[in-house]
C-alpha cells in the first residue's frame, strides 16, 4: 500500500482459503546518512566535481519506490523514505542500475564524470556493492561509497567480414560471470564512421567484448542470451587508468 510517500508491506502466504485480517500500517519510512569517499586524481591532477552525484537505494521489488539522496553537502548525504525490502545501491550517474526486461538505453555519463567508477559500497562497514542490501525491521546503517578516479579505457575498431572498418556497429562489454549482477559494469557503444569505438570509466577486472552489425538493444543483459554466445566474445582484462586497444570482428546476427 502506498500514499503520498507513505508505504506498508507485509509478507502474505495464500493457500486454499481466503486471506483475511491483513493489517497494513503506513509509514514514511526511515532515513540514512552516508559519505562519498573520492580516491585518486585525474590525469591533470585535478579533483573532479562530484556535486552532481546522487546516491539511491533501488528496490528489487517492483512495487517499492527508490529512495534517493538530496544534494551532497561536501562529501555527505542524507536519504529518507527507506522502507523494508531488498535494495541495490545506485550512484547516479556513475553507477546506474539497469532493470528489465525490457531493457532501455541509459543516457551517457557527463564528460566530467566519465572516468569515475564505483569501487566499493559499504553499509555499517559491510560490503554490499555486489550482493545488495536487505532491510527488515531495522533502520539503515551508515552508507559509505568509495569512488575511484582513472577508470580503464577500451578503444578499438570493429571489422566486417571483409576485414574493413564497420560503421554503426554495436559494441558491448560484459563482466565476468561472477560479477553479472552488477549491471553497472555492462557498457556499450556504436562505432563511428571509421568503425572506431571508445568505452570509458571501466572498473578493473575481466570482461568479454562483443560486436554486432545489428542486435536488439540491451539484449546482452539477458543471461540466457549471453550463455549462448559466451565463447564467441573476446576476452579482455581492464586495468585501472590503462588504455587498451583492440580490433574486433563483428558477429553477424539474423535480421
Amino acid at each position: 500500500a502506498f500514499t503520498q510517500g507513505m508505504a506498508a508491506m507485509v509478507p502474505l502466504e495464500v493457500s486454499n482459503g481466503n486471506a483475511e485480517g491483513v493489517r497494513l500500517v503506513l509509514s514514511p519510512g526511515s532515513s540514512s546518512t552516508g559519505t562519498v569517499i573520492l580516491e585518486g586524481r585525474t590525469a591533470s591532477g585535478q579533483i573532479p566535481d562530484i556535486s552532481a552525484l546522487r546516491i539511491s537505494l533501488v528496490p528489487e521489488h517492483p512495487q517499492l519506490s527508490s529512495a534517493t539522496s538530496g544534494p551532497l553537502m561536501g562529501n555527505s548525504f542524507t536519504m529518507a523514505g527507506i522502507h523494508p525490502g531488498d535494495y541495490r545501491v545506485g550512484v547516479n550517474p556513475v553507477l546506474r542500475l539497469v532493470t528489465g526486461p525490457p531493457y532501455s538505453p541509459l543516457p551517457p555519463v557527463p564528460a566530467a564524470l566519465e572516468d569515475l567508477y564505483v569501487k566499493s559500497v559499504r553499509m555499517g562497514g559491510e560490503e554490499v556493492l555486489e550482493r545488495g542490501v536487505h532491510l527488515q525491521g531495522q533502520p539503515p546503517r551508515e552508507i559509505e561509497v568509495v569512488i575511484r578516479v582513472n577508470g580503464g579505457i577500451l578503444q578499438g575498431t570493429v571489422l566486417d567480414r571483409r576485414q574493413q572498418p564497420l560503421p554503426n556497429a554495436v559494441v558491448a562489454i560484459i563482466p565476468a560471470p561472477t560479477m553479472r549482477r552488477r549491471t553497472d559494469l555492462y557498457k556499450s557503444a556504436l562505432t563511428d564512421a571509421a568503425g572506431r569505438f571508445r568505452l570509458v570509466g571501466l572498473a578493473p577486472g575481466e570482461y568479454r567484448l562483443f560486436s554486432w552489425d545489428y542486435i536488439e538493444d540491451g539484449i546482452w543483459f539477458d543471461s540466457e542470451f549471453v550463455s549462448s554466445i559466451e565463447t564467441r566474445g573476446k576476452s579482455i582484462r581492464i586495468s585501472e587508468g590503462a588504455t587498451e586497444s583492440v580490433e574486433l570482428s563483428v558477429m553477424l546476427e539474423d535480421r
Side-chain angles (χ1 to χ4, degrees):
F2 302 88
T3 177
Q4 296 181 344
M6 308 276 281
M9 181 177 290
V10 295
L12 182 64
E13 182 176 340
V14 179
S15 55
N16 295 331
N18 295 329
E20 299 178 352
V22 179
R23 185 168 180 265
L24 293 169
V25 179
L26 291 174
S27 164
S30 55
S31 61
S32 180
T33 59
T35 305
V36 176
I37 298 173
L38 196 64
E39 294 183 348
R41 293 176 181 267
T42 62
S44 63
Q46 300 298 312
I47 298 176
D49 180 6
I50 60 171
S51 61
L53 295 184
R54 297 294 181 268
I55 316 302
S56 60
L57 288 177
V58 181
E60 300 280 2
H61 194 291
Q63 294 302 316
L64 282 177
S65 299
S66 297
T68 302
S69 71
L72 292 178
M73 303 296 291
N75 281 38
S76 300
F77 62 88
T78 301
M79 190 185 308
I82 305 170
H83 298 275
D86 294 311
Y87 295 86
R88 297 181 66 202
V89 178
V91 184
N92 293 311
V94 175
L95 191 162
R96 297 173 298 174
L97 304 178
V98 179
T99 58
Y103 301 103
S104 299
L106 295 172
V109 175
L113 302 175
E114 65 181 10
D115 289 334
L116 309 185
Y117 71 91
V118 177
K119 175 184 175 183
S120 172
V121 177
R122 294 187 284 268
M123 180 173 280
E126 185 177 352
E127 181 61 51
V128 297
L129 177 57
E130 183 180 348
R131 67 176 180 81
V133 177
H134 177 71
L135 301 175
Q136 186 63 50
Q138 77 277 12
R141 296 166 292 171
E142 179 93 3
I143 300 172
E144 182 182 87
V145 178
V146 180
I147 296 177
R148 290 284 299 177
V149 179
N150 290 333
I153 297 172
L154 179 63
Q155 62 186 18
T157 304
V158 175
L159 304 177
D160 63 16
R161 286 175 295 181
R162 302 184 306 275
Q163 297 300 293
Q164 297 299 310
L166 181 63
N168 296 317
V170 180
V171 178
I173 192 169
I174 299 174
T178 56
M179 302 296 288
R180 287 183 184 160
R181 270 181 54 87
R182 284 192 56 186
T183 56
D184 63 287
L185 296 178
Y186 295 65
K187 294 182 184 292
S188 60
L190 285 177
T191 57
D192 63 15
R196 295 172 302 199
F197 68 91
R198 182 177 169 88
L199 299 169
V200 299
L202 300 172
E206 301 287 343
Y207 295 83
R208 287 267 180 185
L209 184 66
F210 301 87
S211 181
W212 303 269
D213 66 333
Y214 172 83
I215 195 73
E216 179 184 340
D217 187 69
I219 195 172
W220 46 85
F221 290 105
D222 186 285
S223 59
E224 290 186 7
F225 174 76
V226 172
S227 295
S228 71
I229 62 168
E230 184 88 45
T231 59
R232 299 171 63 188
K234 188 178 185 68
S235 181
I236 297 289
R237 170 180 279 275
I238 299 296
S239 301
E240 183 174 15
T243 299
E244 301 291 339
S245 298
V246 298
E247 280 192 349
L248 187 64
S249 295
V250 70
M251 291 171 53
L252 299 177
E253 297 292 323
D254 295 334
R255 293 176 185 258

